[in-house]
Amino acid sequence: IMKRFIFLFILFCYSQLSVKAQFHQPAKLTYTVTDFTNYTLTKEDINILSNEVERINETTGNQIAIVVMATSAGEKLESFSLRKANQWGIGNKKKSNGVLILVLAKDRKMRIEVGKGLTNVISNQEVERIIAQHMAPEFKLNNYRSGLMKGLKDLETVMIKNADAAENKY
């Protein structure tokens, strides 16, 4: 019984450390794709997604970041994602052209947080459609890389199409 208690105690302590560790992130993100869970995305997934994010960022002039965390620890998803996007400084401060794709793996939630400078380019309806059509179905199958890749490609299409339409107005 003592061995079992020690094992359970160690397991409990480890789980608490991993949850606490995700809340001690850096003030600024240093990578375009970050998995604070260390188990949702493989290194290969991160490399492939990072290359795609960097290509899209270069093509559009905006800044997308993907962050995977375990949980928001009970905080509402909307306020949590907005706080994290501001904390990490995603996008150009003057243009407010950042997009945070936040995945809370343990909570089974996701959100695409769009900077104010892109709200006329990426509407809430577009975000909801991207999540519902591309990301959620893949995530339900634990295909995180595929869901994120499909979401990224659709975000890029929306950004290019709507930015072109905005520029063509007189």
Side-chain angles (χ1 to χ4, degrees), residues 143-154:
N143 295 333
Y144 289 94
R145 178 175 73 183
S146 176
L148 289 166
M149 189 63 83
K150 288 177 180 181
L152 283 171
K153 289 186 183 295
D154 203 358

Side-chain angles (χ1 to χ4, degrees), residues 25-51:
Q25 304 94 20
K28 298 281 183 191
L29 292 177
T30 53
Y31 302 103
T32 54
V33 179
T34 307
D35 181 358
F36 287 112
T37 68
N38 294 318
Y39 59 79
T40 305
L41 299 172
T42 67
K43 287 183 181 186
E44 180 184 15
D45 293 340
I46 291 170
N47 287 335
I48 290 169
L49 289 165
S50 293
N51 289 336

Side-chain angles (χ1 to χ4, degrees), residues 9-110:
F9 180 74
I10 291 171
L11 187 64
F12 172 78
C13 289
Y14 177 76
S15 70
Q16 293 303 306
L17 285 173
S18 73
V19 168
K20 284 184 180 180
Q22 81 162 354
F23 291 101
H24 297 289
Q25 304 94 20
K28 298 281 183 191
L29 292 177
T30 53
Y31 302 103
T32 54
V33 179
T34 307
D35 181 358
F36 287 112
T37 68
N38 294 318
Y39 59 79
T40 305
L41 299 172
T42 67
K43 287 183 181 186
E44 180 184 15
D45 293 340
I46 291 170
N47 287 335
I48 290 169
L49 289 165
S50 293
N51 289 336
E52 187 66 10
V53 168
E54 289 168 15
R55 185 191 65 73
I56 293 170
N57 289 350
E58 196 172 300
T59 301
T60 64
N62 300 317
Q63 186 182 19
I64 298 173
I66 297 173
V67 177
V68 179
M69 300 175 76
T71 181
S72 66
E75 186 176 342
K76 286 188 175 185
L77 180 60
E78 294 79 11
S79 59
F80 184 77
S81 64
L82 184 59
R83 184 169 58 80
K84 289 298 181 183
N86 288 329
Q87 173 189 336
W88 291 323
I90 299 167
N92 179 295
K93 197 169 189 166
K94 288 182 182 177
K95 293 180 181 180
S96 190
N97 64 341
V99 176
L100 170 62
I101 300 174
L102 179 67
V103 178
L104 301 175
K106 185 177 176 187
D107 292 348
R108 302 189 61 75
K109 294 179 181 178
M110 71 192 94

Side-chain angles (χ1 to χ4, degrees), residues 99-157:
V99 176
L100 170 62
I101 300 174
L102 179 67
V103 178
L104 301 175
K106 185 177 176 187
D107 292 348
R108 302 189 61 75
K109 294 179 181 178
M110 71 192 94
R111 182 166 170 88
I112 299 174
E113 194 67 55
V114 178
K116 289 180 183 177
L118 289 175
T119 54
N120 63 337
V121 176
I122 307 168
S123 69
N124 289 339
Q125 292 81 10
E126 291 282 11
V127 166
E128 290 170 12
R129 183 188 58 75
I130 291 167
I131 289 172
Q133 288 181 359
H134 299 297
M135 296 171 67
E138 293 293 331
F139 287 13
K140 286 178 183 174
L141 301 171
N142 288 323
N143 295 333
Y144 289 94
R145 178 175 73 183
S146 176
L148 289 166
M149 189 63 83
K150 288 177 180 181
L152 283 171
K153 289 186 183 295
D154 203 358
L155 265 174
E156 177 185 28
T157 301

